[in-house]
Amino acid sequence: MLNDYAELVKKSLAPMIRQYGFQFAQLDSDEMFLIGKGFALYVFIDRRDRRGDIWYVSLDPKGIIRAHTLMYVFADRFTSMDRAAAGYPLPQEATDEYIAATFRVANKGLLDHCHDILSGDKTWLNGYQDQEGESSRHIARFLAPYFRRQGYYVKSEEE
């Protein structure tokens, strides 16, 4: 098991990072962000379950940062061709190779089917099963300075 997953994430998601000009920012050894204009993708490794995941982080009109699972988007929009990006045979589950494969699949599926999400168009959230998202202090604390530097209002914890 890797101690720091940043290089694995950067390599697996490099095409998406390049194409959309995301800024890579690392919170810790297994939590990172791909920061776009007024939104971010939260990329993390669940060490207990030994899997990788990507969530969408929005900034709502009231300045509140919210995290939204993308699992419904993955299930709805991704195809078997996207899943083939993992390679064959599939890496053994709960390994670093498996985590890298899940990010390769996410990279391919997001690039092929999710321009709206990757470009920061928030209209896809209308009617989405996780439309409200959830508030997370540690995510908000980390991303607030990035969004403020972009000129966005971010509600402070004291407000």
Side-chain angles (χ1 to χ4, degrees), residues 43-80:
V43 182
F44 61 95
I45 286 71
D46 182 328
R47 287 183 184 261
R48 186 185 62 231
D49 291 340
R50 299 293 310 272
R51 64 179 182 82
D53 206 351
I54 302 175
W55 286 42
Y56 181 85
V57 180
S58 67
L59 178 61
D60 75 14
K62 296 178 184 175
I64 299 171
I65 295 173
R66 300 186 180 278
H68 312 266
T69 180
L70 289 176
M71 74 175 170
Y72 306 114
V73 169
F74 293 173
D76 186 48
R77 297 186 189 185
F78 285 23
T79 67
S80 59

Side-chain angles (χ1 to χ4, degrees), residues 81-102:
M81 295 301 292
D82 302 320
R83 290 175 190 87
Y88 294 104
L90 289 174
Q92 181 180 347
E93 286 190 60
T95 63
D96 291 338
E97 295 81 21
Y98 180 77
I99 292 169
T102 63

Side-chain angles (χ1 to χ4, degrees), residues 35-156:
I35 302 169
K37 184 87 171 119
F39 76 100
L41 297 175
Y42 172 45
V43 182
F44 61 95
I45 286 71
D46 182 328
R47 287 183 184 261
R48 186 185 62 231
D49 291 340
R50 299 293 310 272
R51 64 179 182 82
D53 206 351
I54 302 175
W55 286 42
Y56 181 85
V57 180
S58 67
L59 178 61
D60 75 14
K62 296 178 184 175
I64 299 171
I65 295 173
R66 300 186 180 278
H68 312 266
T69 180
L70 289 176
M71 74 175 170
Y72 306 114
V73 169
F74 293 173
D76 186 48
R77 297 186 189 185
F78 285 23
T79 67
S80 59
M81 295 301 292
D82 302 320
R83 290 175 190 87
Y88 294 104
L90 289 174
Q92 181 180 347
E93 286 190 60
T95 63
D96 291 338
E97 295 81 21
Y98 180 77
I99 292 169
T102 63
F103 285 133
R104 286 193 305 272
V105 170
N107 182 76
K108 175 138 177 46
L110 287 166
L111 283 174
D112 288 353
H113 311 290
C114 300
H115 174 72
D116 53 347
I117 293 169
L118 298 177
S119 65
D121 177 357
K122 293 180 179 78
T123 57
W124 70 273
L125 280 168
N126 296 334
Y128 183 59
Q129 293 173 1
D130 189 30
Q131 179 176 347
E132 293 302 313
E134 54 189 68
S135 198
S136 167
R137 278 190 176 163
H138 89 282
I139 290 174
R141 227 179 273 128
F142 185 80
L143 287 176
Y146 290 94
F147 291 152
R148 285 186 182 119
R149 279 194 296 271
Q150 293 176 355
Y152 291 99
Y153 166 73
V154 179
K155 186 175 179 178
S156 65

